[in-house]
Amino acid sequence: MEAMFCQEERYETLTIYFTNKEERIAALDAIEEVGKEFSFQPAVYIKMPTDHAPGEVNLEFVDDYDKEAQPIVEALTSRLALTFIPCHLCQ
């Protein structure tokens, strides 16, 4: 699955894109598994796919002073074999 990781000061977001129900379930299952391993929990939002765009699972890390998002992103990358695309917010 493709993903995008964006950082801006203390705000970070990981967007995981999915195109079907199986990918959505895989992403949510991985988030649940990884969530049990870490005490720092992101806000999670789901955007369903349309005819013109893939669905999204967004994880938002707010006020991440200690950069606790990085191990969570790494764990999800490993579990889901994520391929990252450039962050459009950073361009």
Side-chain angles (χ1 to χ4, degrees):
M1 282 187 272
E2 287 190 331
M4 180 174 52
F5 184 69
C6 299
Q7 295 176 293
E8 186 176 328
E9 295 185 15
R10 296 184 319 243
Y11 174 81
E12 298 159 328
T13 183
L14 172 65
T15 303
I16 301 170
Y17 298 98
F18 62 90
T19 57
N20 57 50
K21 182 179 179 179
E22 292 77 18
E23 288 181 343
R24 176 175 48 93
I25 291 170
L28 294 174
D29 285 350
I31 291 166
E32 183 176 349
E33 291 171 14
V34 168
K36 293 176 184 175
E37 298 175 25
F38 299 93
S39 60
F40 186 74
Q41 299 296 314
V44 179
Y45 303 95
I46 302 167
K47 181 178 175 184
M48 298 307 288
T50 66
D51 292 339
H52 307 291
E56 301 176 3
V57 177
N58 294 290
L59 290 82
E60 294 184 358
F61 303 87
V62 181
D63 291 334
D64 189 10
Y65 293 101
D66 299 320
K67 301 297 182 194
E68 295 176 272
Q70 194 60 38
I72 295 171
V73 171
E74 289 172 1
L76 289 170
T77 299
S78 175
R79 280 182 171 81
L80 297 170
L82 298 177
T83 302
F84 285 88
I85 59 174
C87 174
H88 66 275
L89 300 175
C90 300
Q91 298 177 351

